[in-house]
Amino acid sequence: MTSARIKAGHFLAKPLGIKLDYRDEVGKTSDLSRGESVFSVSSADQYVEQEPTVQEWIQKLTPSGRTMLRYLYDLFPFVHWITRYNLRWFSGDMVAGITVGAVVVPQSMAYALLAQLPPEFGLYSSFMGVLIYWFFATSKDITIGPVAVMSVIVGKIVSRVEETNPEFPGHVVASALAVVAGAIIVFIGLIRCGWIVDFISLTAICAYMTGSAINIAAGQVPALMGITGFNTRESTYKVIINTLKNLGKTKMDAAMGLSALVLLYVYRIACSIAAKKNPNRRKTYFFISTLRTALVMLLYTMISWLVNRNRRSKPLFKILGNVPRGFQNAAVPTVNRSIIKAFSAQLPATVVVLLIEHIAIAKSFGRINNYTIDPSQELVAIGVTNLIGPFLGAYPATGSFSRTAIKSKAGVRTPFAGVITAIVVLLSIYALPAVFFYISSSSLAAVIIHAVGDLITPPNTVYQFWKVSPLEVIVFFAGVIVTIFVDIESGIYASIGLSLAIFLFRAVKARGRFLGRAKVHSVIGDHLLDPDGKPSHRDDLGKNDPDSTARNVFLPIDHHDGSNPEVQVDSPYPGIFIYRFSEGFNYPNANHYLDYLTGTVMTRTRRTNPNSFGKLGDRPWNDPGPRRGHSAIADDHLPTLKALILDFSSVNNIDVTSIQILIDVRNQLDRWASPDKVEWHLACITNRWTKRALVHAGFGYPTPNEPQFSRWKPIFSVAELGGSDSAAAAAERRENEKLQRQQTRDLQRSLSRGKNDDTITPESASTPDDDLKHVVRSRSYAKPTKIAVVQGLNRPFFHIDLTSALHSAIANVEFKRDIEKLGGETTGVEP
């Protein structure tokens, strides 16, 4: 079948003008040759590297039956651990679940008000978030539910839709938004594309969270003070200005709100100080601190009840009012074209917020608690939660930073703690609506301000960003400023866009480095280390020929890597250059890389044939030569270009554009070195597809059709098969020892028999020890070590490291020079 396909391909290639073998790789159409290499180790196996094929690539991507079963199994991570659930885990989950439940009830109602929805919708979202998530969770710490930033975005969407389409109630719009956003996120998770979140940098996330926290806190100050009469959903700076203008309209609400906010911070600070003074009771003070929101809300609800119980119709300050018992808004979500069109402009921002907040929190707490999350599976969990939640009235929900931190510190053991939290929320929905009636709106505003205060990035963190990457601090402040002066969505887009722009700038303007050779030693105390890392028993560097413990390293010649400038870095060899790519080598940066390469090489070398332009008119316009009457600049001290060594250690993939530019540069440098040809040695290539691309561009092997390369001296790297510590080597040693013992016994028997038959003269006599040594040294009983080449013999100019590449380049240069001395007519041709 394969043969038939190949024949059909060859048949079609001819009329289409496709040259299947226009590059003749060494060993492909002719006998495999090692050139002039003294590669005569008899035990070495030949190895010809094969190219990867498209069929191979497709087979690798095509899932097998086992892979599909594993995929389905991984969609429900709870089955991995639920069968081993135990009482100890349950006790930890119980404590964490109840603790989070006490926090989520008041927070969710406050966030529902941010979303321009009645408070019960926050409870519905909290209940469905914690109930559904644990089925799909790969994080034990995350708590899904309403969050401040998402609630603000939902509130803006609800307000806009009410203006343009008043026929749609706010909760219907919010539920439809949750369903559509959830469907998008589930799709991304199911196709296992959770890696797209990695394009959002940490500074962009911090900028979005900081700007959003300032935006939300500024918008809640009017509710905290009881101030009305202006739009609190305008840009942050306008809200702050209007709040200051209307401070004179402060009402009694300020007494409830400001005192509640102060009490929340005093409560937390007092618990923190007490925990520091009594480390043995740190856990106790932590639980007391986490209950501050619930306790303060209960206290102020009691005060509100005492003040307003006899004036329910005209309360002294704004209160929540009636909160229906149970799931009164449970229904199939209304999702149609009109509703989707109404919020389609805000849909990308909704999806981004749901993604980045949840994944950032999940990864952070996974690292803190020593486990790894699956981002794609987390997207499935968020998506399913937002798909199912609206059937009970939920609006978009994602991971909450504050509640996740509380859950983690409370000692949660498994995601099942979410079920405990769901029970607490469910009891609240059915048992506490009468209590909710008297909750002060200004006290809820205090809860929101207190919660979002933890989202603001501290100055010390920003300073650490500056120390690591000053450019990204610009991204941070740009995102915060845009959020404050425009809106949250624009701040998200600005910070992400700037981060990607910096990434692309760094990739496009990546600059390679020319490397030189330096000799270094490893020392421990006053002792040199040998190549195996063991002390060599020398006192210092100046004794007993330390060169035996030295090794060559390759450092940038300009020392721009931060290496000590006093360390002398020698040129690899006259006319040989080593060039290292600092990042990937693809079409955006290929020109920048190779322009710098050619410019530097031509500056540091001279033309091999200075008379290549016989007449002035033959010279190109960009190299017109010296002015009339002036002599050419003397460059005889410069070497001619012999070889280039490219370090591909940071390159994983290359493309057609970069390969074509590399071919053009090769031709350009060949003209510079004419009539010689420049050798190209490539080291540290780790991708087979990269090798395939380079080989088809004519790199990796000398061109047999050119006389300059009729003979060459490649240097191959070889390694022991299995290594000295492998099982095969151990078995071989045991076999050798067994053979040696058997030969010793045979020798002793023959000697004992010979005592009676023959007379042994002193001259011919030998002791059993001498015969034993002869047997041990015999090659018949001790097999030589099996070795093999590491790289393919058909690609002698691909090297495993820079050292072997440099050795090979130098060997070829010196070999050609010797040939010329012997009278070769053409450079590199044997006389």
Side-chain angles (χ1 to χ4, degrees):
M1 185 67 181
T2 304
S3 178
R5 276 203 306 268
I6 293 174
K7 289 180 179 179
H10 281 244
F11 176 77
L12 292 173
K14 290 181 180 179
L16 293 175
I18 299 174
K19 299 177 181 179
L20 297 177
D21 293 317
Y22 80 105
R23 299 280 186 193
D24 185 15
E25 184 180 353
V26 172
K28 195 169 185 180
T29 59
S30 59
D31 294 335
L32 183 66
S33 173
R34 293 171 179 158
E36 285 298 303
S37 172
V38 188
F39 189 82
S40 58
V41 180
S42 60
S43 59
D45 286 344
Q46 289 189 352
Y47 168 64
V48 178
E49 185 175 350
Q50 301 299 321
E51 290 183 354
T53 62
V54 175
Q55 183 180 0
E56 220 178 283
W57 179 74
I58 294 174
Q59 287 176 348
K60 192 174 181 180
L61 291 181
T62 305
S64 62
R66 180 183 290 273
T67 305
M68 291 302 298
L69 289 175
R70 184 72 190 184
Y71 172 81
L72 295 174
Y73 179 67
D74 289 340
L75 279 178
F76 303 94
F78 78 96
V79 301
H80 301 178
W81 53 265
I82 194 65
T83 55
R84 291 181 287 277
Y85 199 76
N86 53 68
L87 287 176
R88 189 166 183 177
W89 287 2
F90 178 73
S91 62
D93 290 344
M94 176 72 77
V95 173
I98 294 174
T99 304
V100 173
V103 175
V104 74
V105 171
Q107 275 192 359
S108 61
M109 291 190 294
Y111 292 154
L113 298 180
L114 280 179
Q116 299 292 293
L117 299 172
E120 62 268 22
F121 287 94
L123 296 173
Y124 302 157
S125 299
S126 296
F127 173 74
M128 293 304 292
V130 293
L131 182 65
I132 297 172
Y133 174 69
W134 79 278
F135 284 99
F136 306 94
T138 61
S139 169
K140 68 181 179 65
D141 299 298
I142 283 285
T143 299
I144 288 188
V147 295
V149 181
M150 191 70 252
S151 297
V152 170
I153 293 175
V154 171
K156 289 185 177 181
I157 292 172
V158 168
S159 299
R160 290 172 185 170
V161 174
E162 284 180 350
E163 294 174 2
T164 57
N165 302 82
E167 68 274 14
F168 298 131
H171 70 274
V172 172
V173 175
S175 294
L177 178 65
V179 170
V180 176
I184 293 172
I185 294 172
V186 163
F187 174 74
I188 295 172
L190 289 176
I191 63 174
R192 292 307 193 232
C193 285
W195 46 265
I196 63 172
V197 183
D198 295 334
F199 283 100
I200 304 173
S201 68
L202 176 61
T203 46
I205 294 172
C206 291
Y208 135 75
M209 295 179 75
T210 301
S212 301
I214 296 171
N215 178 288
I216 294 164
Q220 288 303 299
V221 170
L224 186 81
M225 307 292 287
I227 300 172
T228 56
F230 61 90
N231 184 10
T232 59
R233 297 190 175 276
E234 289 185 310
S235 299
T236 304
Y237 78 99
K238 291 182 179 179
V239 174
I240 294 173
I241 292 172
N242 289 328
T243 301
L244 294 174
K245 285 182 178 179
N246 292 276
L247 278 178
K249 298 179 181 179
T250 302
K251 299 177 183 177
M252 186 60 68
D253 300 68
M256 297 290 287
L258 285 174
S259 59
L261 182 61
V262 171
L263 184 58
L264 284 168
Y265 278 105
V266 169
Y267 192 120
R268 185 170 75 175
I269 293 170
C271 290
S272 177
I273 293 173
K276 290 180 180 178
K277 290 184 177 180
N278 301 280
N280 295 332
R281 297 185 179 180
R282 188 183 299 271
K283 195 84 170 178
T284 302
Y285 286 115
F286 162 74
F287 283 110
I288 294 173
S289 178
T290 56
L291 294 175
R292 64 183 179 275
T293 303
L295 294 176
V296 169
M297 287 307 301
L298 285 174
L299 173 63
Y300 279 81
T301 302
M302 182 179 294
I303 295 172
S304 176
W305 174 72
L306 292 172
V307 172
N308 296 311
R309 59 180 175 172
N310 296 322
R311 46 192 307 168
R312 291 167 61 95
S313 58
K314 292 185 178 181
L316 188 62
F317 41 80
K318 188 177 180 181
I319 57 178
L320 283 185
N322 289 317
V323 177
R325 188 186 305 274
F327 297 94
Q328 300 297 322
N329 292 279
V332 176
T334 302
V335 182
N336 54 46
R337 183 175 297 179
S338 300
I339 294 180
I340 295 175
K341 186 178 179 180
F343 60 68
S344 59
Q346 288 76 37
L347 187 58
T350 302
V351 172
V352 169
V353 170
L354 290 175
L355 290 179
I356 63 176
E357 191 157 352
H358 181 95
I359 299 300
I361 294 168
K363 285 185 175 180
S364 175
F365 281 91
R367 286 189 287 266
I368 291 171
N369 295 312
N370 197 29
Y371 63 86
T372 304
I373 68 157
D374 181 352
S376 297
Q377 183 60 30
E378 289 297 314
L379 296 189
V380 172
I382 306 171
V384 172
T385 299
N386 285 285
L387 274 174
I388 300 177
F391 286 87
L392 291 183
Y395 70 90
T398 188
S400 165
F401 177 80
S402 59
R403 297 194 295 271
T404 298
I406 291 170
K407 189 177 180 182
S408 177
K409 291 181 180 179
V412 63
R413 303 302 297 271
T414 72
F416 188 76
V419 177
I420 311 299
T421 302
I423 294 172
V424 174
V425 177
L426 186 64
L427 291 173
S428 301
I429 292 172
Y430 280 96
L432 299 179
V435 178
F436 295 156
F437 181 90
Y438 291 101
I439 292 179
S440 166
S441 296
S442 58
S443 299
L444 282 179
V447 169
I448 294 173
I449 294 172
H450 181 67
V452 300
D454 293 332
L455 301 180
I456 296 176
T457 304
N460 182 59
T461 302
V462 180
Y463 175 71
Q464 299 304 322
F465 290 166
W466 173 263
K467 297 295 286 184
V468 173
S469 177
L471 266 180
E472 294 190 77
V473 176
I474 298 174
V475 173
F476 173 80
F477 282 112
V480 172
I481 291 170
V482 171
T483 301
I484 291 174
F485 286 92
V486 186
D487 54 30
I488 293 176
E489 296 96 318
S490 300
I492 293 171
Y493 297 146
S495 56
I496 294 175
L498 275 176
S499 297
L500 291 176
I502 290 174
F503 170 76
L504 290 174
F505 176 80
R506 286 171 172 169
V508 171
K509 291 297 183 180
R511 186 173 179 177
R513 299 290 181 196
F514 283 93
L515 306 182
R517 183 165 51 175
K519 185 176 292 186
V520 300
H521 306 263
S522 295
V523 296
I524 179 170
D526 294 329
H527 297 282
L528 293 170
L529 297 181
D530 61 22
D532 295 328
K534 298 177 182 179
S536 62
H537 305 294
R538 292 182 175 88
D539 293 334
D540 53 51
L541 291 175
K543 296 182 180 180
N544 297 332
D545 187 21
D547 286 344
S548 61
T549 63
R551 68 182 188 278
N552 288 323
V553 296
F554 297 91
L555 301 174
I557 293 176
D558 55 13
H559 288 286
H560 281 180
D561 63 336
S563 56
N564 189 347
E566 295 182 3
V567 173
Q568 182 179 353
V569 180
D570 298 324
S571 174
Y573 190 88
I576 296 178
F577 295 86
I578 302 176
Y579 188 68
R580 173 178 289 163
F581 297 109
S582 58
E583 307 231 4
F585 180 57
N586 298 100
Y587 70 92
N589 56 24
N591 271 312
H592 192 259
Y593 270 133
L594 298 181
D595 286 348
Y596 176 61
L597 170 68
T598 54
T600 304
V601 167
M602 289 183 175
T603 302
R604 297 180 183 177
T605 60
R606 57 183 170 84
R607 285 186 180 275
T608 303
N609 182 8
N611 300 316
S612 55
F613 302 115
K615 300 179 181 179
L616 181 62
D618 295 335
R619 301 187 72 94
W621 66 271
N622 59 337
D623 185 16
R627 294 180 178 274
R628 292 184 183 274
H630 292 76
S631 60
I633 299 174
D635 57 0
D636 294 341
H637 64 286
L638 296 177
T640 57
L641 180 59
K642 301 294 192 304
L644 282 171
I645 300 171
L646 300 184
D647 182 355
F648 273 74
S649 56
S650 62
V651 177
N652 188 41
N653 291 291
I654 53 179
D655 49 47
V656 171
T657 305
S658 56
I659 281 291
Q660 184 58 52
I661 296 172
L662 195 60
I663 292 172
D664 294 341
V665 169
R666 180 180 62 188
N667 295 336
Q668 181 182 2
L669 294 180
D670 279 347
R671 289 192 294 271
W672 179 260
S674 176
D676 291 345
K677 294 291 184 182
V678 180
E679 279 188 12
W680 291 73
H681 296 261
L682 299 97
C684 308
I685 306 174
T686 58
N687 188 301
R688 293 176 65 209
W689 286 93
T690 300
K691 289 183 180 180
R692 167 176 158 151
L694 290 166
V695 165
H696 281 270
F699 294 94
Y701 54 90
T703 305
N705 295 331
E706 296 183 1
Q708 288 87 348
F709 292 111
S710 60
R711 301 180 70 80
W712 70 97
K713 289 182 71 68
I715 293 179
F716 298 99
S717 298
V718 298
E720 294 183 12
L721 290 180
S724 59
D725 297 327
S726 65
E732 185 176 350
R733 283 195 298 270
R734 288 195 298 271
E735 185 65 24
N736 288 340
E737 290 171 0
K738 183 178 178 181
L739 287 172
Q740 290 169 11
R741 288 194 297 269
Q742 180 63 39
Q743 291 299 319
T744 301
R745 287 194 293 268
D746 293 343
L747 180 61
Q748 289 173 344
R749 287 195 207 98
S750 63
L751 290 174
S752 63
R753 286 196 302 269
K755 284 181 181 180
N756 298 325
D757 301 333
D758 301 318
T759 301
I760 303 175
T761 64
E763 292 78 13
S764 63
S766 64
T767 65
D769 289 339
D770 293 333
D771 291 328
L772 178 59
K773 289 177 183 178
H774 177 75
V775 171
V776 170
R777 293 193 191 103
S778 173
R779 297 177 66 98
S780 304
Y781 301 105
K783 299 178 182 177
T785 304
K786 193 75 170 179
I787 62 174
V789 289
V790 179
Q791 301 279 11
L793 293 174
N794 55 329
R795 296 167 185 177
F797 290 166
F798 284 163
H799 304 279
I800 193 170
D801 58 10
L802 289 174
T803 301
S804 61
L806 181 58
H807 288 169
S808 180
I810 293 174
N812 276 289
V813 170
E814 293 180 346
F815 178 71
K816 293 176 186 175
R817 184 186 60 198
D818 294 341
I819 292 293
E820 291 176 356
K821 288 180 179 179
L822 293 174
E825 297 179 1
T826 308
T827 303
V829 177
E830 186 179 22

